[in-house]
Amino acid sequence: MSVVNKADAGHVRFVSYTGKWPNLCRGILTLEIDGVEHRFGYDSGQHGKFWSSGGECGFSGNYTGSYVHAGEWKIDAQLLPEELKCYVAEIDEIFNSNVEYGCCGGCL
């Protein structure tokens, strides 16, 4: 029995993501879609950023403490190039399966 890696299923394959703490959300995502490599994110030189953190951060106790909670990435299909919008479900699954959940609070 062969095992199928989620990153290699369907039309979308995960290649890499450069984001890391404390700015995990600011990385460049590289995906292979139908055999063509696509780069997304600020300074990717190709496509813009279409994801945001599902986590949250803030201050508690009259600003005497802080909290950071990681959460699943949120994908905004409207920010994808028109020709790639049909792959939004696969992109969502691949991104969330391969990129550490964000917290939008690394700067706290």
Side-chain angles (χ1 to χ4, degrees):
M1 179 173 138
S2 64
V3 176
V4 176
N5 183 333
K6 278 187 172 184
D8 294 326
H11 299 270
V12 181
R13 187 176 75 78
F14 179 81
V15 176
S16 65
Y17 184 66
T18 63
K20 46 187 122 145
W21 191 91
N23 292 318
L24 187 60
C25 62
R26 293 196 50 97
I28 294 174
L29 172 67
T30 304
L31 299 175
E32 184 180 294
I33 302 174
D34 287 337
V36 177
E37 195 170 279
H38 294 268
R39 289 179 315 284
F40 303 88
Y42 301 123
D43 301 323
S44 72
Q46 192 171 21
H47 304 296
K49 181 181 172 213
F50 60 82
W51 60 91
S52 62
S53 170
E56 62 180 345
C57 64
F59 294 97
S60 59
N62 219 12
Y63 293 96
T64 59
S66 63
Y67 62 90
V68 176
H69 302 288
E72 185 172 311
W73 294 100
K74 296 178 184 177
I75 306 304
D76 186 343
Q78 297 305 311
L79 297 176
L80 284 169
E82 196 62 41
E83 68 275 11
L84 301 179
K85 288 181 181 179
C86 61
Y87 301 116
V88 68
E90 279 187 75
I91 290 170
D92 186 356
E93 179 182 350
I94 295 299
F95 192 95
N96 276 293
S97 295
N98 290 281
V99 178
E100 177 185 354
Y101 285 177
C103 63
C104 193
C107 57
L108 287 180

